[in-house]
Amino acid sequence: MTNSEITTQKEDRLAQMLAKLKGRDFRLTPQRLAILTILASSEDHPTVDGVYKEVRSKFPTTSIATVYKTIALLKELNEVLELGFPDGSNRYDGNRPYPHPHAICIKCKKILDPEIASVDQLSEEMVQKTGYVLSFHRLDFFGLCPDCQKKG
Ligand code: ZN
Ligand code: MN
């Protein structure tokens, strides 16, 4: 993708979120718009705290409850993907709110979204072998990212 295509895609994500929120009891304050914008455009899978810190840099009066509530509503509308972890450090992907594989660094906690061609095939095989009707999947790969490998 070119940079302009990526910019368009991020604007589309924000537009999609706003469209879904229309008709919901959701007053679009500047703070909430900032939260949506951060989630729609960030590729680093922020935590609630990360979103909170970023929005506070622009709107210092924002409460963490507003961040929690906005994310909960987006989750309900399937407009953000929640990656839950046993230690409670949940991460959020508003850029790609549908199931996709993640590469997770166990040291620095960086999470990447590579395009993996064989995911559809994997789902197909899962259906064939189990007879399940699949609703979603979760596919996490854990290891050390290139930066952490260099640090040893
Ligand atoms: Zn790392
Ligand atoms: Mn992702």
Side-chain angles (χ1 to χ4, degrees):
M1 271 201 289
T2 65
N3 278 341
S4 72
E5 276 171 334
I6 290 167
T7 308
T8 312
Q9 189 228 345
K10 285 173 180 175
E11 282 164 6
D12 286 352
R13 279 298 306 133
L14 183 60
Q16 275 167 23
M17 283 180 180
L18 292 170
K20 280 266 192 93
L21 288 163
K22 240 181 193 172
R24 297 292 299 226
D25 189 17
F26 184 80
R27 200 163 56 86
L28 191 62
T29 61
Q31 287 89 337
R32 285 168 172 173
L33 181 61
I35 295 167
L36 299 181
T37 307
I38 291 164
L39 287 166
S41 60
S42 67
E43 280 169 14
D44 56 351
H45 305 83
T47 59
V48 167
D49 220 48
V51 174
Y52 176 60
K53 283 193 182 116
E54 202 175 329
V55 75
R56 288 264 296 203
S57 68
K58 256 177 114 182
F59 300 101
T61 59
T62 312
S63 75
I64 194 146
T66 302
V67 180
Y68 271 109
K69 274 189 241 164
T70 306
I71 289 178
L73 181 56
L74 288 173
K75 212 180 112 183
E76 194 191 314
L77 297 168
N78 292 319
E79 286 298 313
V80 73
L81 184 72
E82 182 181 65
L83 295 174
F85 292 100
D87 65 356
S89 63
N90 291 357
R91 305 274 292 262
Y92 295 89
D93 190 340
N95 195 236
R96 297 172 177 222
Y98 47 85
H100 57 275
H102 288 102
I104 301 166
C105 180
I106 52 174
K107 205 165 174 188
C108 71
K109 313 289 183 200
K110 183 160 60 206
I111 302 183
L112 295 185
D113 281 327
E115 286 284 352
I116 302 292
S118 50
V119 174
D120 289 345
Q121 219 177 310
L122 188 65
S123 298
E124 193 60 38
E125 196 177 345
M126 190 58 80
V127 170
Q128 275 171 16
K129 293 200 169 149
T130 63
Y132 278 37
V133 175
L134 302 178
S135 327
F136 63 93
H137 65 256
R138 176 152 181 200
L139 210 47
D140 293 339
F141 295 82
F142 295 90
L144 284 176
C145 74
D147 285 343
C148 289
Q149 289 171 50
K150 273 181 228 147
K151 285 174 207 154

